[in-house]
Amino acid sequence: MAWRGQLSKNLKELRILLSPHSNSSAPLRAFVEKNYKELKTLNPKLPILIREATSVEPQIWARYDLGVEKGVHVEGFSEQQITNALQDLVKNGPSS
């Protein structure tokens, strides 16, 4: 899982949007609870923003150089699929 340490090399900001109570955000909430500490430890200067709002679809947004952003809607994803989506955002960048 070396890609986890490359977040700060490839991203300028990581935003996670989720609902604090909806079932559709449950896998993303579990992902954050299990992985936030490790991601932040490996990337201490990278802003990892977690935004909670009712009635929001679970999403992951990556901001790259020059303000380029790419987002993934992760509603219906398992925790493993969320991990894969984040890995794709890190490895493939804004062109994927």
Side-chain angles (χ1 to χ4, degrees):
M1 300 229 184
W3 65 269
R4 290 175 180 255
Q6 295 179 347
L7 263 70
S8 57
K9 291 181 182 177
N10 298 342
L11 306 180
K12 297 299 178 193
E13 178 183 274
L14 178 65
R15 282 190 318 274
I16 298 172
L17 287 71
L18 53 85
S19 171
H21 305 293
S22 77
N23 288 335
S24 64
S25 289
L28 187 54
R29 283 194 307 269
F31 173 83
V32 169
E33 289 173 9
K34 291 178 184 174
N35 295 286
Y36 176 82
K37 184 176 179 181
E38 178 187 10
L39 292 174
K40 196 60 182 175
T41 299
L42 293 172
N43 304 279
K45 294 185 178 183
L46 176 71
I48 301 176
L49 310 173
I50 300 168
R51 301 292 184 241
E52 294 182 329
T54 56
S55 303
V56 69
E57 291 182 33
Q59 305 170 39
I60 300 174
W61 284 87
R63 186 169 52 86
Y64 304 94
D65 283 331
L66 304 173
V68 175
E69 293 188 350
K70 183 174 181 194
V72 178
H73 294 270
V74 294
E75 186 170 3
F77 282 30
S78 68
E79 286 183 57
Q80 184 58 49
Q81 290 171 314
I82 292 169
T83 300
N84 293 342
L86 178 57
Q87 184 176 3
D88 287 344
L89 288 171
V90 172
K91 286 186 171 183
N92 298 328
S95 60
S96 64

